Amino acid sequence: MSDAYLETVDLACERDWRLLFEHLNISVQPKDMLQVSGPNGSGKTSLLRLMAGLMQPTAGEVRIQGVNIQQQRHVLAENLLWLGHAAGIKGLLTPEENLKWLSALHRGATPEQIWQALAAVGLAGFEDVPCHTLSAGQQRRVGLARLYLDAPLLWILDEPFTALDQQAVAQLEQHLAQHCVNGGMVILTTHHILQHTPSTFRELDLGRRAL
């Protein structure tokens, strides 16, 4: 049996009658950071959604702790933080209200913890304003503040650096690397060239697997 925490076994994905990839075998263990790269249309987002249990594969399977994720939905829900292309927040709610609701999906957070997380992403003073009044970059930061709470072990992030300024990008890079050093796992896509990565960093280029 594999000692991987999350793995794909002969995974294949077809979208719009086009095969994006097949026979894909990936192993992710604690402390790993995996960047999925490749040209547009190579299946990066589809692969992340498959690994997060948000899509069904054309063939093969995704396993968590050796068991198909479809049989481990509760384990996946408790241990996965998913952040997609969108900020994943509700515009009519404030940053504090959004984080209160989102953190309840896992371990919950106190108001003090939420304010500290928002301060960590540069949103001190914006805790109680409706999110629809914030800029795109600020809305992105609200979603990213989840990473500064008592976040789950596995982070799957689709283009997390979108709409962030240079300082915020550098801070997030360091935070992702530290999560891995602390025993967590990060799987991400990004067009940004990472400057700060843990020693366990590796890259999977789907473009090189073109069919």
Side-chain angles (χ1 to χ4, degrees):
M1 178 179 292
S2 170
D3 60 355
Y5 183 85
L6 182 75
E7 63 183 332
T8 68
V9 181
D10 289 330
L11 196 67
C13 179
E14 180 181 296
R15 295 295 302 273
D16 299 323
W17 299 282
R18 184 170 70 90
L19 189 61
L20 299 177
F21 53 78
E22 62 179 345
H23 305 306
L24 192 59
N25 295 285
I26 304 169
S27 174
V28 180
Q29 302 180 29
K31 297 191 174 184
D32 281 353
M33 177 182 285
L34 174 66
Q35 178 183 349
V36 180
S37 62
N40 292 339
S42 59
K44 300 186 297 295
T45 293
S46 293
L47 175 56
L48 262 59
R49 291 180 63 83
L50 286 167
M51 297 177 83
L54 301 175
M55 286 174 50
Q56 292 287 339
T58 302
E61 62 181 5
V62 180
R63 298 173 181 171
I64 185 169
Q65 297 179 323
V67 180
N68 189 298
I69 59 172
Q70 299 306 319
Q71 302 171 34
Q72 293 272 71
R73 303 300 299 184
H74 65 290
V75 175
L76 189 64
E78 291 172 358
N79 293 282
L80 169 68
L81 190 153
W82 159 263
L83 185 64
H85 275 286
I89 61 174
K90 296 184 181 296
L92 293 178
L93 299 182
T94 67
E96 181 179 6
E97 291 169 338
N98 268 289
L99 288 185
K100 180 179 180 180
W101 180 77
L102 290 168
S103 68
L105 299 174
H106 301 292
R107 298 171 178 83
T110 66
E112 181 180 1
Q113 290 171 328
I114 290 173
W115 280 47
Q116 289 175 349
L118 290 169
V121 295
L123 288 178
F126 293 90
E127 299 90 350
D128 56 358
V129 300
C131 283
H132 70 82
T133 66
L134 302 177
S135 69
Q138 289 173 322
Q139 291 183 28
R140 188 64 170 174
R141 290 180 189 221
V142 174
L144 290 170
R146 299 167 61 193
L147 304 177
Y148 291 83
L149 296 172
D150 186 11
L153 186 66
L154 174 63
W155 298 354
I156 299 183
L157 314 174
D158 195 4
E159 296 290 347
F161 301 101
T162 299
L164 298 183
D165 60 32
Q166 187 174 358
Q167 181 179 353
V169 166
Q171 177 184 336
L172 180 56
E173 279 193 17
Q174 294 177 2
H175 189 63
L176 298 183
Q178 189 61 49
H179 179 64
C180 294
V181 170
N182 293 340
M185 293 163 282
V186 175
I187 303 170
L188 77 160
T189 65
T190 179
H191 292 290
H192 166 71
I193 298 176
L194 298 172
Q195 302 294 328
H196 189 88
T197 59
S199 60
T200 52
F201 171 82
R202 68 187 194 275
E203 183 177 358
L204 170 67
D205 188 347
L206 291 179
R208 295 181 179 178
R209 297 180 55 90
L211 299 170

